[in-house]
Amino acid sequence: MLVVMDARADRSAIDHVIDTIEKMGLKATPIPGAQRVAIGITGNRGTVDPTGLENLPGVLEIIPVSAPYKLVSREMREAKSIVSIGGVPVGGSKVVVVAGPCAVESEEQTLEIARRVAAAGATLFRGGAYKPRTSPYSFQGLGLAGLKILAKAREETGLPIVTEVLDTETAEEVAEYADCLQVGARNMQNFSLLKKVGRLRKPVLLKRGMSATIEEFLLSAEYILAEGNDQVVLCERGVRTFADHTRNTLDLSSIPAVQRISHLPIMADPSHGTGKRHKVLPLSRAAVAVGADGLLIEVHHKPETALSDGPQALLPEQFADLMNQVRAVAVVMGRSA
Ligand code: PEP
Ligand code: MN
């Protein structure tokens, strides 16, 4: 349920409504808007009886929110949200490109790739220090040493860092170094991790689980907002289907589907979404054409020796070409890149 306050309602009227909601054993989340403040109510199992609220001073109207997700929905906040990642706005008119290797492998490898993607015009740098790997025998990431290398890359290029947080134990350590915490596909429904990043007050890049419905995806984002962190960017990274020409099926139709329901920005990841280098460029153009707010692209200067996801990594010069083509598509969409 959403309590919409009158445009003239003052702070004390708003506080009084919040207080009343909390006394009902529910959670109140103020949502400031251009004209007026709305207060989202969550924590209820069934419908909330509005009679105690509708006559309070300053209350304009009470809107029932029908969807299971509340804070992430357009019913709660009509305008698109803009999330700032280290000063880079995601969800505005500029299409944001997050680029970098799958994994931080060494300082030399990371800095080389960081320089090349920065020169080509990437806006954020990525690289995993903690890697979720299917096999326990695969490279698991450099951990803390990897985070320190990422901090060096930021120092040198000025690009804010997006890196994965694998578990609650290392979340605070990752948050110390990262500008944005990536929650990967395999962790999309790790509810204790979602709650943890919800309390960390750092932007979160939440990737869609490989078999998650849109409702499950948005409910996972809801966990983060329910803890008080509304700096969430969603990311479509492909789902499992019967297709065998591609690692995953990049579900680009999820982008307008999510945008219709939610105010949160959403990016596309054609690297994991296809798993094949030659498909990354065409799917990147398509993702911008369907309205993605950003792209996540894996780049490696020596993909044949990469410790993870080499087959889907673009060479730096291919990435520069991608940037040029994406810029052209962005212009058609009334945006820039
Ligand atoms: C990654 O971004 O390197 C990654 C592991 O992605 P996903 O969680 O989408 O598989
Ligand atoms: Mn990867």
Side-chain angles (χ1 to χ4, degrees):
M1 196 144 80
L2 190 63
V3 181
V4 181
M5 300 299 291
D6 191 289
R8 290 157 301 181
D10 61 10
R11 191 67 243 175
S12 71
I14 295 166
D15 286 344
H16 185 47
V17 172
I18 293 173
D19 206 42
T20 309
I21 295 168
E22 284 171 354
K23 285 201 176 111
M24 291 162 80
L26 302 168
K27 200 165 162 181
T29 306
I31 306 161
Q35 305 293 329
R36 48 175 59 91
V37 170
I39 301 161
I41 303 179
T42 51
N44 49 304
R45 295 203 178 271
T47 50
V48 178
D49 178 7
T51 46
L53 296 167
E54 58 199 1
N55 293 320
L56 293 179
V59 172
L60 183 69
E61 61 174 327
I62 299 199
I63 303 173
V65 176
S66 44
Y69 25 77
K70 318 253 176 236
L71 303 174
V72 303
S73 76
R74 291 260 188 193
E75 289 175 85
M76 281 285 185
R77 187 184 290 170
E78 213 182 317
K80 247 178 104 167
S81 289
I82 296 185
V83 174
S84 169
I85 300 182
V88 172
V90 185
S93 64
K94 191 167 168 166
V95 176
V96 167
V97 180
V98 189
C102 179
V104 175
E105 299 167 10
S106 70
E107 185 170 322
E108 176 272 327
Q109 168 253 12
T110 303
L111 292 184
E112 170 70 16
I113 299 169
R115 286 182 202 116
R116 304 285 294 271
V117 300
T123 11
L124 297 167
F125 186 62
R126 64 147 288 148
Y130 289 99
K131 292 303 303 173
R133 303 306 300 278
T134 303
S135 164
Y137 306 118
S138 299
F139 176 60
Q140 304 285 310
L142 297 179
L144 179 59
L147 295 173
K148 292 185 175 164
I149 294 172
L150 286 169
K152 267 195 187 156
R154 172 176 49 211
E155 213 172 284
E156 206 182 299
T157 60
L159 298 182
I161 302 296
V162 179
T163 193
E164 181 153 356
V165 45
L166 213 53
D167 48 46
T168 51
E169 290 86 344
T170 51
E172 272 158 52
E173 177 191 296
V174 176
E176 253 180 65
Y177 291 88
D179 297 287
C180 176
L181 307 170
Q182 175 175 317
V183 174
R186 291 156 191 81
N187 265 323
M188 190 204 81
Q189 285 191 316
N190 179 340
F191 302 115
S192 44
L193 183 61
L194 295 173
K195 288 184 193 169
K196 180 75 188 175
V197 298
R199 291 191 294 266
L200 280 175
R201 301 292 183 270
K202 274 268 161 132
V204 177
L205 180 72
L206 177 66
K207 299 186 89 176
R208 181 182 178 186
M210 51 190 93
S211 65
T213 62
I214 298 299
E215 182 168 313
E216 288 163 345
F217 190 19
L218 290 175
L219 283 171
S220 288
E222 184 83 12
Y223 264 91
I224 303 170
L225 273 79
E227 291 297 326
N229 185 357
D230 62 359
Q231 300 295 291
V232 176
V233 177
L234 303 169
C235 181
E236 165 60 50
R237 51 78 72 203
V239 289
R240 280 265 169 94
T241 67
F242 52 80
D244 59 0
H245 63 284
T246 179
R247 179 180 178 186
N248 292 292
T249 297
L250 185 65
D251 177 14
L252 288 181
S253 70
S254 73
I255 290 171
V258 164
Q259 286 171 337
R260 191 183 166 92
I261 303 168
S262 176
H263 54 83
L264 296 175
I266 179 162
M267 292 191 179
D269 171 356
S271 299
H272 296 88
T274 65
K276 307 232 159 92
R277 187 170 304 131
H278 70 274
K279 290 195 176 81
V280 174
L281 173 61
L283 271 295
S284 296
R285 292 191 303 250
V288 176
V290 296
D293 295 302
L295 297 172
L296 195 146
I297 308 289
E298 288 190 346
V299 178
H300 204 292
H301 62 313
K302 288 182 191 156
E304 61 290 348
T305 62
L307 297 179
S308 70
D309 285 350
Q312 68 196 32
L314 295 187
L315 290 162
E317 50 274 24
Q318 291 175 316
F319 176 70
D321 185 32
L322 178 144
M323 285 302 301
N324 286 331
Q325 296 201 29
V326 157
R327 277 188 202 106
V329 179
V331 170
V332 175
M333 300 303 298
R335 307 179 85 164
S336 62

